[in-house]
Amino acid sequence: MRAPSLSRRSRARPVSQADLTTLFKNSEIPQIDIWREFKSRKGLGDLTPEDAFKTATVYRVAATDSSSTWKGALERDHNIDPYTLHYTALPLFLSRVRNAAVPLEAMGLHMLSTASSLGYTPSTLTLMSSLLDQPPESFLRFRQLLRDVESRFKRLLRTENNPDAFTLQGCLLLKDGGSALEALNYFNWAIKAAHRISPSTAVPARDPSNPTNSSSRQPRWTFEGSCHLNRGRILLEQGQADKALASFTVVALELDLADGYVELAKLLPRDTPERETYLLKAAQAGNFEACRLLALGLADKAFDASLPSVDRVRAIMMATEWAQVDPDSSQREGVVAQVEEKMTEFRRERGWLRE
């Protein structure tokens, strides 16, 4: 049989952008007014809304399912460096956009993964930190999506003294049911690494009884609060209350974080004035554990015979209000029941309740 003529063979033509399958639709790019909203919430770094909109538009066209060659073209042909990619992706990945026609998390995830693959450490850390927010039923599935990112993260742990990486690894160990002692080691390494990068500076003395009038400082690394908070909880479980107190003090009195005030309050006797101050500070910041503890503490305060009658009545009324705040119905109902029981006792003591 005669071989077919070369002139009759189909000749492959160069692959054009039109031949490639893009991963995202044009409708998945937020309009400029949403980018302006992101900017107003300080979600774009140094980028303007117009920069971010243009980056997302170019990325939608460039990102294909064919190969990874398009990644290098982002900066070479379009002047989109990993920083620009990261801060364009961040609000898409982390925010629920109001009135968005389609979910935007997928595009944000893809952009962050691309920036991570280009060696941008903040993108790697952002994606790994997102694992901490996953519910148990989706944790392993989402972790599978981040296999390549986690490989880069583990390399970061081995090769760099990065306090955020150490902190995240400790938190992930706790999330995944790992060793608390191993997690504690990572938290300790994070603190040491941060001190090497930026030695501690003196923090103005704070008045423990009036935290709202005291100055706080910025975190020395992104996840410093989580580091000291989890470290303190582990130390407390080990019976090292003094060291735990020191960690919680950093979270509350230096970083001014609600979770720290709650943990400090739980270490104080129930009748300590600072305890109520700390719980009130945390409750006003939206910490629902503080709301529950504050409600029960105020209900107990109503039985303090040394207080004026008007203060005791006010305490039981405030206890009722704080007991109703928790959005978790099971938690709320339990606290409300305890407060109502104390209210009944209070009314009986005052002679307001007939047997």
Side-chain angles (χ1 to χ4, degrees):
M1 180 181 293
R2 189 173 62 179
S5 169
L6 290 176
S7 63
R8 297 175 61 184
R9 291 179 185 171
S10 59
R11 295 174 181 171
R13 58 188 176 85
V15 177
S16 68
Q17 187 67 45
D19 296 312
L20 303 178
T21 303
T22 56
L23 300 174
F24 305 101
K25 299 176 181 178
N26 195 50
S27 60
E28 294 180 73
I29 301 175
Q31 295 303 306
I32 191 66
D33 59 328
I34 294 182
W35 292 106
R36 289 177 181 137
E37 182 183 337
F38 287 152
K39 185 65 176 180
S40 69
R41 289 187 267 145
K42 301 181 179 179
L44 296 177
D46 293 333
L47 304 183
T48 66
E50 290 73 20
D51 291 335
F53 178 70
K54 179 181 177 182
T55 298
T57 302
V58 170
Y59 191 88
R60 188 201 73 79
V61 176
T64 67
D65 60 1
S66 60
S67 69
S68 61
T69 55
W70 55 269
K71 294 180 182 180
L74 288 174
E75 186 165 9
R76 183 183 65 247
D77 299 340
H78 304 288
N79 199 32
I80 298 175
D81 58 13
Y83 173 92
T84 301
L85 201 57
H86 176 84
Y87 279 99
T88 300
L90 211 53
L92 301 181
F93 182 60
L94 299 179
S95 302
R96 295 284 180 178
V97 183
R98 292 181 301 167
N99 303 321
V102 292
L104 303 176
E105 290 88 347
M107 188 174 185
L109 171 62
H110 197 275
M111 295 172 80
L112 286 172
S113 297
T114 298
S116 172
S117 72
L118 295 172
Y120 196 62
T121 296
S123 294
T124 300
L125 296 175
T126 296
L127 289 169
M128 292 305 297
S129 69
S130 69
L131 280 170
L132 300 175
D133 298 324
Q134 294 297 314
E137 60 271 16
S138 62
F139 177 77
L140 291 178
R141 184 173 68 253
F142 191 68
R143 194 168 195 168
Q144 281 294 104
L145 290 175
L146 301 181
R147 287 192 307 272
D148 293 341
V149 176
E150 187 162 10
S151 295
R152 289 187 285 274
F153 175 70
K154 289 180 178 178
R155 186 163 58 248
L156 185 66
L157 288 172
R158 293 193 304 269
T159 60
E160 295 187 28
N161 282 319
N162 187 305
D164 282 313
F166 289 144
T167 300
L168 283 177
Q169 179 63 11
C171 292
L172 286 168
L173 281 168
L174 296 178
K175 172 85 173 181
D176 204 23
S179 165
L181 290 179
E182 186 179 356
L184 179 61
N185 285 335
Y186 277 104
F187 296 137
N188 289 336
W189 292 337
I191 294 170
K192 291 178 182 177
H195 284 315
R196 283 194 291 269
I197 296 170
S198 175
S200 300
T201 55
V203 177
R206 303 195 63 155
D207 178 3
S209 65
N210 192 6
T212 58
N213 287 340
S214 303
S215 59
S216 59
R217 63 170 175 83
Q218 291 297 312
R220 295 190 178 96
W221 68 100
T222 302
F223 300 108
E224 183 182 5
S226 296
C227 178
H228 286 291
L229 186 67
N230 285 292
R231 179 177 182 270
R233 287 169 175 167
I234 295 172
L235 289 169
L236 196 59
E237 290 176 357
Q238 293 181 335
Q240 301 184 57
D242 289 344
K243 291 183 178 180
L245 179 64
S247 277
F248 295 147
T249 298
V250 172
V251 183
L253 301 186
E254 291 189 25
L255 300 178
D256 200 28
L257 297 176
D259 288 348
Y261 285 112
V262 174
E263 297 298 340
L264 274 185
K266 290 192 291 189
L267 292 177
L268 296 175
R270 294 178 71 89
D271 58 350
T272 305
E274 288 80 11
R275 186 178 192 273
E276 183 177 325
T277 301
Y278 292 157
L279 289 176
L280 183 60
K281 171 84 171 176
Q284 289 173 336
N287 185 292
F288 296 116
E289 182 182 10
C291 296
R292 295 191 292 270
L293 293 172
L294 190 59
L296 296 174
L298 287 167
D300 288 337
K301 189 176 181 180
F303 291 91
D304 186 348
S306 66
L307 292 176
S309 178
V310 65
D311 289 347
R312 297 174 67 186
V313 172
R314 184 183 298 116
I316 201 68
M317 293 175 63
M318 290 177 62
T320 304
E321 292 179 9
W322 283 114
Q324 298 285 351
V325 171
D326 199 323
D328 185 328
S329 59
S330 60
Q331 293 278 9
R332 183 177 64 250
E333 290 168 4
V335 175
V336 168
Q338 292 180 69
V339 171
E340 286 180 347
E341 182 179 346
K342 292 178 183 294
M343 284 183 66
T344 300
E345 294 178 23
F346 179 74
R347 289 169 179 155
R348 184 178 292 113
E349 178 192 279
R350 306 286 293 180
W352 298 344
L353 186 67
R354 294 182 179 180
E355 299 294 341

